[in-house]
């Protein structure tokens, strides 16, 4: 097939058989966030390149090598968003949503773009649901973000498969002091570090902590720990968060090497990880970014948020076989009509039924082949009932009503009584 007729590598179609699971997942999250009082915001998927450089940081994997950047017709450098926080902060500032120090609890959903090596759980266009909270300082809100994700895992039936990892990165001052100590220690062991870590030591030393290289990991065993450099404010915040998670009964582990790939985090960082998806095990990640809004030109405004990867969570639901059976059945009643007069009558009748039962999931299949082939389709659709309308039924102003899943015999129902009859046997959403 010619290349232009194929999707771009790492960018996937979500096919009709997959969309019920996506909608189930997205609907579950949206309802949960509504219930916690979060409001949805929708940002464009393209922003000025500068926005991402400024907020994410010049020496991060994303900005150094993963962004889809292009010049538009005006000569402006634009970038397909690699994540949502930068654009969300931009929108909040632009519209003064936190101007007077008022709290905001926001969420968004949509595609993100990163030029990475595509593999299971890692794509070039992927989808996130993200939350951002502004102007709420204490550990209560960090805890709320975590308890609501814990509740989500419960709703989805995947609690047993995910583990919470926590760390505190302190304020930028205490992180600065830690960086000096870390660089000093690592410089003394330079020859034992892998090449990438040697480079990171100069550009972004904290990132050495999440190396995958075994020799470097061995060196790190005796490296100074951030926990010993935490300022009082960050330490008290972190203790407060841990106490709240304990009180809520949410298990967690402290991972002192958790630093996250973006520059803007401070104090709390966390990840929900699973060992069921191979190397791409982080399904949800985030943390506090108290300095970001100011760094982007706003008034001092605290922030905390996270993003979850929808593809990875969908993969996890499939892997653990936690896909509810009923979500793929989108039809309750399937109407088969035979012959021109019956087809005409079927359209009028079905519209009348819809007037009375607006939520009825009724698929009309008129003029689509023999009785046998239509009936096969009715069965394949997953519908609970078939309605059959031919010349004989039309003459008597009745319609054949046939249960497809073994709930009784076929019977004729008068046109006028059809809606009332369906109302008794189909649960309507
Ligand atoms: P990773 O370490 O896996 O690259 P990350 O730290 O770059 O993740 P974040 O920027 O924190 O990821 O994004 C939050 C979540 O979005 C991740 O935990 C993951 O679930 C998802 N995600 C990130 N990048 C991708 C991708 N390329 N494809 C699919 N999902 C992704
Ligand atoms: Mg990444």
């Amino acid at each position: 097939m010619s290349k232009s007729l194929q999707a771009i590598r790492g960018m996937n179609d979500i096919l009709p058989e997959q969309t019920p699971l996506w909608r189930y997942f997205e609907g579950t999250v949206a309802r949960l966030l509504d219930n916690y009082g979060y409001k949805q915001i929708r940002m464009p998927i393209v922003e000025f390149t500068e926005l991402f450089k400024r907020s994410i940081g010049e020496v991060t994997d994303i900005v150094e090598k993963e962004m889809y950047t292009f010049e538009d017709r005006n000569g402006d450098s634009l970038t397909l968003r690699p994540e949502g926080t930068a654009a969300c902060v931009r929108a909040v500032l632009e519209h003064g949503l936190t101007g007077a120090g008022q709290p905001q609890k926001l969420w968004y959903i949509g595609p993100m773009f990163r030029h990475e090596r595509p593999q299971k759980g890692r794509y070039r266009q992927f989808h996130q649901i993200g939350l951002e909270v502004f102007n709420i300082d204490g550990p209560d809100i960090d805890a709320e973000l975590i308890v609501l994700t814990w509740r989500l895992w419960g709703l989805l039936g995947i609690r047993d498969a995910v583990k919470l990892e926590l760390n505190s990165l302190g304020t930028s001052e205490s992180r600065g002091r830690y960086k000096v100590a870390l660089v000093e220690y690592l410089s003394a062991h330079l020859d034992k570090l892998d090449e990438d870590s040697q480079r990171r030591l100069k550009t972004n030393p904290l990132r050495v902590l999440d190396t995958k290289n075994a020799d470097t990991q061995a060196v790190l065993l005796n490296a100074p720990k951030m926990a010993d450099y935490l300022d009082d404010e960050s330490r008290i915040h972190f203790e407060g968060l841990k106490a709240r998670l304990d009180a809520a009964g949410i298990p967690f582990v402290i991972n002192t090497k958790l630093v996250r790939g973006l520059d803007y985090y401070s104090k709390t960082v966390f990840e929900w990880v699973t060992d069921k998806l191979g190397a791409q095990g982080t399904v949800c990640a985030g943390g506090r970014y108290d300095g970001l809004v100011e760094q982007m030109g706003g008034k001092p405004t605290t922030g905390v948020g996270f993003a979850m990867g929808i593809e990875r969570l969908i993969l996890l639901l499939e892997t653990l076989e936690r896909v509810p059976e009923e979500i793929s059945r989108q039809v309750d009643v399937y109407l088969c009509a035979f012959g021109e007069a019956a087809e005409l009558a079927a359209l009028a009748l079905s519209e009348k039924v819809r007037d009375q039962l607006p939520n009825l999931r009724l698929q009309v299949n008129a003029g689509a082949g023999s009785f046998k082939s239509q009936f096969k389709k009715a069965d394949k659709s997953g519908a609970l009932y078939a309605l059959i309308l031919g010349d004989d039924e039309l003459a008597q102003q009745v319609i054949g009503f046939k249960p497809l899943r073994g709930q009784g015999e076929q019977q004729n129902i008068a046109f006028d009584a059809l809606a009332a009859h369906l109302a008794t046997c189909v649960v309507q959403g």
Side-chain angles (χ1 to χ4, degrees), residues 82 159 202 246 351 377 390 427:
R159 263 190 192 169
K202 294 203 191 75
D246 283 336
E351 286 307 305
K377 284 184 195 146
V427 183

PDB file of all heavy atoms in Angstrom, residues 82 159 202 246 351 377 390 427:
ATOM      1  N   PRO A  82       2.956  18.224  23.672  1.00  0.00           N
ATOM      2  CA  PRO A  82       3.452  16.931  24.159  1.00  0.00           C
ATOM      3  C   PRO A  82       2.831  16.555  25.506  1.00  0.00           C
ATOM      4  O   PRO A  82       2.942  15.416  25.947  1.00  0.00           O
ATOM      5  CB  PRO A  82       4.953  17.167  24.334  1.00  0.00           C
ATOM      6  CG  PRO A  82       5.078  18.639  24.580  1.00  0.00           C
ATOM      7  CD  PRO A  82       3.931  19.315  23.898  1.00  0.00           C
ATOM      8  N   ARG A 159      -7.421  -2.254  41.041  1.00  0.00           N
ATOM      9  CA  ARG A 159      -6.641  -1.846  42.216  1.00  0.00           C
ATOM     10  C   ARG A 159      -5.479  -2.776  42.523  1.00  0.00           C
ATOM     11  O   ARG A 159      -4.403  -2.339  42.905  1.00  0.00           O
ATOM     12  CB  ARG A 159      -7.544  -1.807  43.448  1.00  0.00           C
ATOM     13  CG  ARG A 159      -8.040  -0.428  43.734  1.00  0.00           C
ATOM     14  CD  ARG A 159      -8.730  -0.385  45.083  1.00  0.00           C
ATOM     15  NE  ARG A 159      -9.435   0.886  45.188  1.00  0.00           N
ATOM     16  CZ  ARG A 159     -10.313   1.178  46.137  1.00  0.00           C
ATOM     17  NH1 ARG A 159     -10.607   0.277  47.056  1.00  0.00           N
ATOM     18  NH2 ARG A 159     -10.897   2.349  46.165  1.00  0.00           N
ATOM     19  N   LYS A 202      25.885  16.880  33.672  1.00  0.00           N
ATOM     20  CA  LYS A 202      26.153  18.288  33.367  1.00  0.00           C
ATOM     21  C   LYS A 202      24.871  19.075  33.126  1.00  0.00           C
ATOM     22  O   LYS A 202      24.764  20.238  33.509  1.00  0.00           O
ATOM     23  CB  LYS A 202      27.027  18.377  32.112  1.00  0.00           C
ATOM     24  CG  LYS A 202      28.421  17.797  32.322  1.00  0.00           C
ATOM     25  CD  LYS A 202      29.409  18.385  31.308  1.00  0.00           C
ATOM     26  CE  LYS A 202      30.726  17.628  31.331  1.00  0.00           C
ATOM     27  NZ  LYS A 202      30.625  16.301  30.671  1.00  0.00           N
ATOM     28  N   ASP A 246      -2.244   7.194  54.792  1.00  0.00           N
ATOM     29  CA  ASP A 246      -2.402   6.134  55.794  1.00  0.00           C
ATOM     30  C   ASP A 246      -3.829   6.122  56.328  1.00  0.00           C
ATOM     31  O   ASP A 246      -4.469   5.076  56.431  1.00  0.00           O
ATOM     32  CB  ASP A 246      -1.425   6.340  56.960  1.00  0.00           C
ATOM     33  CG  ASP A 246      -0.002   5.914  56.592  1.00  0.00           C
ATOM     34  OD1 ASP A 246       0.137   5.082  55.677  1.00  0.00           O
ATOM     35  OD2 ASP A 246       0.946   6.425  57.221  1.00  0.00           O
ATOM     36  N   GLU A 351     -40.024   5.623  14.335  1.00  0.00           N
ATOM     37  CA  GLU A 351     -39.930   7.006  14.812  1.00  0.00           C
ATOM     38  C   GLU A 351     -40.963   7.286  15.902  1.00  0.00           C
ATOM     39  O   GLU A 351     -40.707   8.030  16.850  1.00  0.00           O
ATOM     40  CB  GLU A 351     -40.078   7.994  13.655  1.00  0.00           C
ATOM     41  CG  GLU A 351     -38.849   8.066  12.754  1.00  0.00           C
ATOM     42  CD  GLU A 351     -37.551   8.337  13.523  1.00  0.00           C
ATOM     43  OE1 GLU A 351     -37.496   9.335  14.252  1.00  0.00           O
ATOM     44  OE2 GLU A 351     -36.615   7.517  13.424  1.00  0.00           O
ATOM     45  N   LYS A 377     -27.985 -10.924  11.079  1.00  0.00           N
ATOM     46  CA  LYS A 377     -27.440  -9.622  11.495  1.00  0.00           C
ATOM     47  C   LYS A 377     -28.028  -9.191  12.831  1.00  0.00           C
ATOM     48  O   LYS A 377     -27.329  -8.638  13.688  1.00  0.00           O
ATOM     49  CB  LYS A 377     -27.731  -8.551  10.444  1.00  0.00           C
ATOM     50  CG  LYS A 377     -26.833  -8.647   9.235  1.00  0.00           C
ATOM     51  CD  LYS A 377     -27.101  -7.514   8.268  1.00  0.00           C
ATOM     52  CE  LYS A 377     -26.471  -7.819   6.923  1.00  0.00           C
ATOM     53  NZ  LYS A 377     -27.254  -7.301   5.807  1.00  0.00           N
ATOM     54  N   GLY A 390     -43.365  -7.879   7.979  1.00  0.00           N
ATOM     55  CA  GLY A 390     -43.536  -8.250   6.569  1.00  0.00           C
ATOM     56  C   GLY A 390     -44.949  -7.878   6.142  1.00  0.00           C
ATOM     57  O   GLY A 390     -45.700  -7.252   6.901  1.00  0.00           O
ATOM     58  N   VAL A 427     -34.367  -2.249  29.611  1.00  0.00           N
ATOM     59  CA  VAL A 427     -33.940  -1.250  30.591  1.00  0.00           C
ATOM     60  C   VAL A 427     -33.388  -0.066  29.812  1.00  0.00           C
ATOM     61  O   VAL A 427     -32.530  -0.233  28.941  1.00  0.00           O
ATOM     62  CB  VAL A 427     -32.828  -1.796  31.507  1.00  0.00           C
ATOM     63  CG1 VAL A 427     -32.450  -0.767  32.565  1.00  0.00           C
ATOM     64  CG2 VAL A 427     -33.278  -3.098  32.122  1.00  0.00           C
TER      65      VAL A 427
END
